[in-house]
Amino acid sequence: MMTFVKSKTWPNQKWRWLLPILLVSLFVTTLIWLPLQAQKMETNERQEQLIADTLWVEQAIQFQFLRNDDLLRQIGAEIGTKKLVPLAALDRFNSILKSNHEIQRIDLFANNNAIITSTSGYPLPNTDNLFPKRAHISAGNSIPPVNIDQKTRCMQPLLDQNKKNTYLLSCQIPLVSDRQYAGSIIVTYYLSGILEEMVPWWFAQDNEISLIDLDEKVYAKRAAGGSSKNVYTHNRPLDLPNVTLILRTNSNKSEPKLLSNLLVLSVILLSFGLIWSLLALWRDINRRLAAEDALRQQVAFRTAMENSLITGLRARDMEGRLTYVNPAFCKMVEHPAEDIVGRLPPMPYWAPEAFEEYRHRFTQLLAGTVPSEGFETIYQRASGERFPVLIYESRLVDENGVQTGWMSSILDISELKRAQELTRQQQEMLHASARLATMGEIASILAHELNQPLAAISSYTTGAINLLQSSQENNQDNPQTNSTTPDQTPLQSLLLSALEKANAQAQRAGHIIHSVHDFVKKRESSREPVSIAALLQSVMPLVELQAQASYVNIQYTIAEPLPMVQADRILLEQVILNLTRNAIEAMEHSPPERSILRIVARTEHGNDKQDVSTTDVTNHVTSHSTNHSTNHVTPGHYIAVEVIDQGHGISAEVAAQLFSPFFSTKPSGMGMGLKICRTAIEFHGGVLSHHDNPAGGTIFRFLLPI
Ligand code: ADP
C-alpha cells in the first residue's frame, strides 16, 4: 500500500517565522550599524590625524622659535663678550630677517632699555611697557644678581600700526655679560608670518590655521585651501614664554558622507538583496506548501481510488521485481503486500503448472512483445486455489519518458468464467429443447402429413387384398373358367402375400410416426405453476447476450404482482426467446435510437371472444395443421406478454405465411420459430398474435390464461 510521509509541521504557523525574522532583523541592524560605526571610526581617525598634524605643526613652530631664540642668544652672547660690535650685529640681524620672513624686526637694547641698533627705521612702539620689570631689576645694580632671569619673554600681541589687521608678537631675549644683565634683543614676529612660514604648505592646504588667545580673539589666520568646515578642529596651546597663544586648526574636510561610501552602498544593496531573496523564499515556501497540500490530497484521493478498485494493480521494475500492489491484488492472491513487494520471480501466486508460461510471458515482456489487449492465465491463491485472471500490461515511464518498469491490471475472471459457463450450459439446454420442440413440431407435421397417405396405402392394399382374395374364391368355385390360366393361383398368392406385407409395413410406418409424435407430445404433460416475471428474469441473460451483439437496448415493463400460470416453463422460455430473437434480428439495420426492444407483461381481462389486438391472425392458414390455430380466447383473466420492436415490420405477403412451417425470409432461417411459438401458446390455451407497431416495427403478443 502506498504510504505517505507527512511533513513535520510547526505547532504554530506564526512562530515558525519568528526565528528567521529575528535573525534577519539582527543581520540588517548589524548591516546598518556597521557603516555608521565605520563612519564614526573614520571621523575619529580624521580627528586624530588632525590632532597629530596640529601637534606636529606646533612642534615645528616651537622648534623654529627655539632656533631663532638660540641664534639671537648666540649673537647676544657675542655682543656681551664684545666680539660683535652693534653694527656687525645689525648685519647679522638683517641676514636673519632675510631668511626668516616671519620676523618683522630685531632690536638691540642696552641694559637701560636704550636702543642700540634696530633692523627697522621706526622705533619699536611701547618698548617701555615691554619688559619693565627685568630692566628695572637689572638697571643700576652693581651687584650682579645671583640668578639673572635669562628666559625669553614674549608680550601680548599688538596690532601693527603700519599694517592693517596684522598682529605682531615681540619677544625679549635678555643678554648677560659677566653675569650681569647687559641688555636685550627684542625680536618681533608677524603672527601671520609665523603661520605663513612655519606651517608646511600641505598642512595649510587641508586646514585653516589660526592663532587665537583664550578669548578666541583671532590674531592671525591662514586659509590656503578654501573654507574650513568646523567639523574637525583642534586647539593646541603654543608654548611661548609668557604668552598664551593657541594654535587652532580647522580642517577643510567635511564629515564622511555615508552614501558615498562604497561599503554603505554594498551593505544597502546586500540588505535589499537579502530581503528580496527572503521574500522570494517565503513565496516559494508558500507555493511549495500549497503544492504539497494539493499533492497530499491527490495522493489521498488516489489511495482511496486504488483501495476502492476491484481490479488488481501491480507495478514491476525492469528486473521484474514487484514494486507496488494495491489492496485488490493482495485480496485476490491472499498475500499481504509486505510479503510480495520487493520480490523477484518466481512469485508466490504463480501456479507451479504454469511456471513455463509465466517465464515465457516475462521474456516477451522484456522483448516488448506483450499484446496490449491483454491475456488470460491462472494464478494461485495462498490457499492453493487456482483462479483465472485477465492481465493487461503497460509500460511505466518516468517524467523523462524513460521506461522504469511495467504496470499491470489484473482482473479475477472466475465469476465471469462461471457466468459464461452457466450461460453456455443454459444455451445448450435451450438449443436442445429448441431442437426437441422443432423435432416435435416436425414430427407432428409429418404424422399429420404422412398419416393420410399411409392410411390411403393401407386401404388401397386392403382393397387389393380383398380383390385378390375374392377372385381366388371365385376361381375355386368355377374351375372351368380358369382352365386357361393354370399358373394364375400361385401368382395371386404371391401378390396377396406382397400386398399383405405392404399393408403391414404401412401400418408399421403409421405406428412409428404415432409413437414419435406421442413421444414428443409426452413433454407437454410437464406443466407447473410458473411466474412470468421469474421466467422473463431467467431468460434475460440470454436475450441480453444477443441484444448486446446487435447493439440493441432492452426495456422491461413488468406489472407487479403478476399471477402464476400453469405452464411448461421450457416451452414458454422457447416462445420468449424466439420472439425476442426475431425482434432483434428485425432491428439489425435500425438506427441506434430505434434499436430498442421492449418487453411488456401485464394482466388483462379478455371478455371478448376475440383477441382484439390481433390484426391478421385470421389470415394465417393452417390447412395441414392438426392443432388448428385460432385467435379466439375464452373470456377470463389472462397474462399478456408483448415483444415490441422498431424493426423493418411485416408486409402483407409475409404476414400471410408467417405461421406456416418452413416459411422464412432469412437466408439461414428455418421458418419453424413462429410455428412452434403458436403451437406452444395454443397448447397452454392461449393465443399468439401480431400487429404493426404504431412507432414502426412489429408487436408480437401472446395471452396466457391465469
Ligand atoms: P425464422 O426466424 O427462422 O425465419 P420464424 O418462424 O421465426 O423463422 O419467422 C418467420 C418469418 O417471419 C421470418 O423469416 C421473418 O420474415 C418474419 N418475422 C418474424 N418475426 C418478425 C418480426 N418481429 N419483424 C419482422 N418480421 C418478422
Side-chain angles (χ1 to χ4, degrees):
M1 201 181 298
M2 189 170 278
T3 51
F4 183 75
V5 183
K6 211 180 166 195
S7 67
K8 194 182 168 189
T9 48
W10 285 59
N12 192 333
Q13 293 275 319
K14 270 188 203 165
W15 296 111
R16 179 173 56 177
W17 289 102
L18 189 67
L19 188 66
I21 285 173
L22 274 178
L23 286 174
V24 168
S25 319
L26 192 71
F27 182 70
V28 171
T29 317
T30 314
L31 286 186
I32 294 167
W33 176 78
L34 261 179
L36 287 174
Q37 194 62 22
Q39 189 194 15
K40 208 170 149 188
M41 273 167 67
E42 195 180 327
T43 309
N44 284 349
E45 204 176 295
R46 283 189 187 176
Q47 182 68 35
E48 277 169 19
Q49 185 64 43
L50 183 75
I51 292 169
D53 289 348
T54 309
L55 192 68
W56 188 88
V57 170
E58 185 252 334
Q59 294 292 321
I61 294 171
Q62 211 81 49
F63 176 73
Q64 192 58 34
F65 260 107
L66 285 176
R67 219 172 67 97
N68 291 347
D69 195 71
D70 277 355
L71 205 62
L72 290 171
R73 270 180 199 276
Q74 231 175 357
I75 296 168
E78 283 177 33
I79 293 167
T81 53
K82 310 282 193 249
K83 275 187 193 166
L84 203 69
V85 291
L87 205 60
L90 188 62
D91 281 349
R92 296 274 290 273
F93 289 157
N94 278 328
S95 74
I96 290 172
L97 231 59
K98 253 181 215 161
S99 55
N100 293 289
H101 297 291
E102 72 275 14
I103 300 173
Q104 187 213 20
R105 57 188 292 165
I106 302 170
D107 294 281
L108 178 65
F109 289 90
N111 63 356
N112 58 357
N113 283 356
I115 181 94
I116 300 170
T117 183
S118 169
T119 55
S120 171
Y122 304 99
L124 187 70
N126 301 321
T127 26
D128 295 341
N129 301 332
L130 252 180
F131 311 105
K133 204 177 171 192
R134 184 151 38 192
H136 173 74
I137 290 168
S138 310
N141 195 348
S142 55
I143 306 155
V146 180
N147 292 313
I148 296 171
D149 181 7
Q150 292 188 30
K151 282 183 193 158
T152 303
R153 286 186 184 182
C154 298
M155 62 178 282
Q156 272 301 315
L158 292 171
L159 206 60
D160 187 355
Q161 283 161 353
N162 303 322
K163 264 194 188 170
K164 241 188 161 185
N165 292 335
T166 306
Y167 280 88
L168 301 170
L169 174 74
S170 298
C171 296
Q172 186 198 38
I173 302 151
L175 301 180
V176 177
S177 169
D178 293 336
R179 302 185 65 205
Q180 284 197 359
Y181 180 65
S184 61
I185 295 170
I186 295 181
V187 55
T188 303
Y189 293 94
Y190 289 116
L191 282 180
S192 55
I194 291 172
L195 298 182
E196 295 294 339
E197 296 302 318
M198 297 187 194
V199 175
W201 67 269
W202 54 265
F203 187 75
Q205 203 63 34
D206 288 347
N207 301 284
E208 181 193 272
I209 314 121
S210 48
L211 286 169
I212 57 171
D213 65 7
L214 290 173
D215 300 328
E216 301 262 309
K217 183 180 176 182
V218 179
Y219 292 110
K221 184 185 272 188
R222 184 178 172 190
S227 60
S228 59
K229 297 288 186 312
N230 285 328
V231 177
Y232 305 106
T233 57
H234 185 61
N235 291 351
R236 179 88 202 161
L238 257 185
D239 199 13
L240 295 177
N242 252 23
V243 171
T244 313
L245 275 183
I246 294 164
L247 179 70
R248 179 186 169 85
T249 49
N250 191 342
S251 174
N252 297 343
K253 286 181 184 156
S254 49
E255 253 184 304
K257 283 201 181 89
L258 199 66
L259 276 177
S260 66
N261 198 321
L262 202 66
L263 177 71
V264 175
L265 197 70
S266 56
V267 159
I268 288 170
L269 283 179
L270 204 68
S271 305
F272 275 118
L274 182 80
I275 289 167
W276 182 83
S277 54
L278 270 175
L279 281 175
L281 185 73
W282 182 68
R283 265 206 313 269
D284 190 52
I285 287 176
N286 272 356
R287 259 205 300 270
R288 267 164 198 273
L289 283 176
E292 210 177 80
D293 217 43
L295 186 73
R296 203 176 298 135
Q297 274 181 16
Q298 225 177 41
V299 168
F301 173 76
R302 269 195 47 188
T303 311
M305 202 171 74
E306 280 165 21
N307 291 354
S308 69
L309 276 181
I310 53 159
T311 307
L313 292 178
R314 168 191 71 178
R316 285 179 296 172
D317 65 12
M318 297 300 279
E319 291 166 43
R321 182 181 289 106
L322 216 60
T323 53
Y324 165 77
V325 285
N326 75 337
F329 185 82
C330 297
K331 204 171 149 198
M332 222 179 263
V333 297
E334 295 175 347
H335 283 285
E338 50 275 21
D339 281 8
I340 46 176
V341 170
R343 281 188 71 150
L344 277 166
M347 296 301 180
Y349 50 80
W350 282 12
E353 64 273 21
F355 261 36
E356 268 322 300
E357 188 200 328
Y358 302 142
R359 287 234 163 78
H360 175 63
R361 289 256 182 239
F362 192 64
T363 329
Q364 274 189 323
L365 200 70
L366 287 176
T369 53
V370 171
S372 59
E373 66 272 14
F375 57 89
E376 270 187 50
T377 185
I378 52 159
Y379 274 172
Q380 176 183 271
R381 299 190 213 276
S383 58
E385 182 198 339
R386 287 0 180 215
F387 64 103
V389 284
L390 184 61
I391 302 178
Y392 295 89
E393 298 275 10
S394 59
R395 281 154 31 94
L396 256 182
V397 286
D398 66 8
E399 66 275 18
N400 302 319
V402 178
Q403 187 179 356
T404 55
W406 291 272
M407 178 59 108
S408 332
S409 37
I410 296 115
L411 285 169
D412 179 349
I413 51 170
S414 6
E415 279 308 314
L416 186 77
K417 288 260 161 187
R418 247 194 295 277
Q420 274 177 354
E421 180 58 25
L422 210 71
T423 311
R424 195 187 59 76
Q425 281 174 5
Q426 261 184 343
Q427 237 166 353
E428 256 175 25
M429 268 167 62
L430 272 163
H431 280 146
S433 65
R435 268 200 303 277
L436 205 68
T438 311
M439 222 172 73
E441 198 58 40
I442 292 170
S444 160
I445 293 166
L446 277 178
H448 175 74
E449 295 295 328
L450 297 180
N451 213 20
Q452 283 180 343
L454 284 174
I457 291 168
S458 182
S459 44
Y460 281 127
T461 48
T462 313
I465 289 165
N466 286 342
L467 272 175
L468 274 176
Q469 279 174 345
S470 59
S471 80
Q472 260 182 350
E473 279 165 15
N474 284 344
N475 282 346
Q476 279 166 3
D477 292 345
N478 302 307
Q480 304 90 339
T481 51
N482 287 324
S483 55
T484 50
T485 52
D487 56 342
Q488 218 170 5
T489 308
L491 185 71
Q492 278 180 344
S493 303
L494 276 174
L495 205 60
L496 190 66
S497 148
L499 280 172
E500 276 169 353
K501 280 178 184 157
N503 193 15
Q505 290 305 318
Q507 300 263 342
R508 194 171 154 236
H511 279 302
I512 291 170
I513 286 164
H514 271 293
S515 50
V516 170
H517 186 237
D518 284 349
F519 170 73
V520 177
K521 289 281 165 178
K522 261 184 202 157
R523 281 210 71 273
E524 293 170 4
S525 59
S526 61
R527 287 202 194 186
E528 53 185 333
V530 170
S531 148
I532 292 294
L535 185 116
L536 285 171
Q537 207 89 45
S538 70
V539 292
M540 266 329 129
L542 291 171
V543 179
E544 273 164 7
L545 220 64
Q546 203 178 3
Q548 272 166 15
S550 305
Y551 305 105
V552 169
N553 281 323
I554 307 178
Q555 292 177 356
Y556 307 99
T557 317
I558 300 172
E560 290 285 354
L562 279 182
M564 307 284 255
V565 287
Q566 213 38 46
D568 184 324
R569 168 183 288 275
I570 304 283
L571 279 185
L572 284 190
E573 280 178 357
Q574 204 59 51
V575 169
I576 290 164
L577 280 172
N578 275 342
L579 294 181
T580 52
R581 194 199 60 219
N582 277 346
I584 290 166
E585 282 174 358
M587 289 191 287
E588 211 138 58
H589 302 294
S590 296
E593 67 275 11
R594 291 177 61 85
S595 294
I596 298 165
L597 169 69
R598 284 182 60 213
I599 298 170
V600 179
R602 59 172 175 264
T603 49
E604 254 178 36
H605 188 70
N607 52 6
D608 200 329
K609 273 270 174 186
Q610 191 175 22
D611 175 15
V612 285
S613 308
T614 313
T615 53
D616 57 354
V617 172
T618 42
N619 296 335
H620 139 80
V621 182
T622 53
S623 57
H624 42 247
S625 173
T626 43
N627 302 330
H628 189 75
S629 296
T630 167
N631 55 331
H632 294 285
V633 292
T634 42
H637 289 285
Y638 291 90
I639 285 180
V641 179
E642 287 179 347
V643 177
I644 306 163
D645 70 64
Q646 296 187 44
H648 53 66
I650 295 173
S651 66
E653 300 83 69
V654 173
Q657 311 178 62
L658 205 60
F659 295 95
S660 307
F662 309 112
F663 169 76
S664 175
T665 58
K666 299 168 195 168
S668 57
M670 195 176 170
M672 285 301 294
L674 285 178
K675 172 79 187 130
I676 293 166
C677 290
R678 166 160 281 183
T679 313
I681 295 299
E682 285 173 356
F683 165 71
H684 288 90
V687 63
L688 171 69
S689 60
H690 76 90
H691 57 98
D692 291 341
N693 181 1
T698 316
I699 300 174
F700 272 88
R701 160 192 165 90
F702 64 84
L703 296 179
L704 290 174
I706 296 166

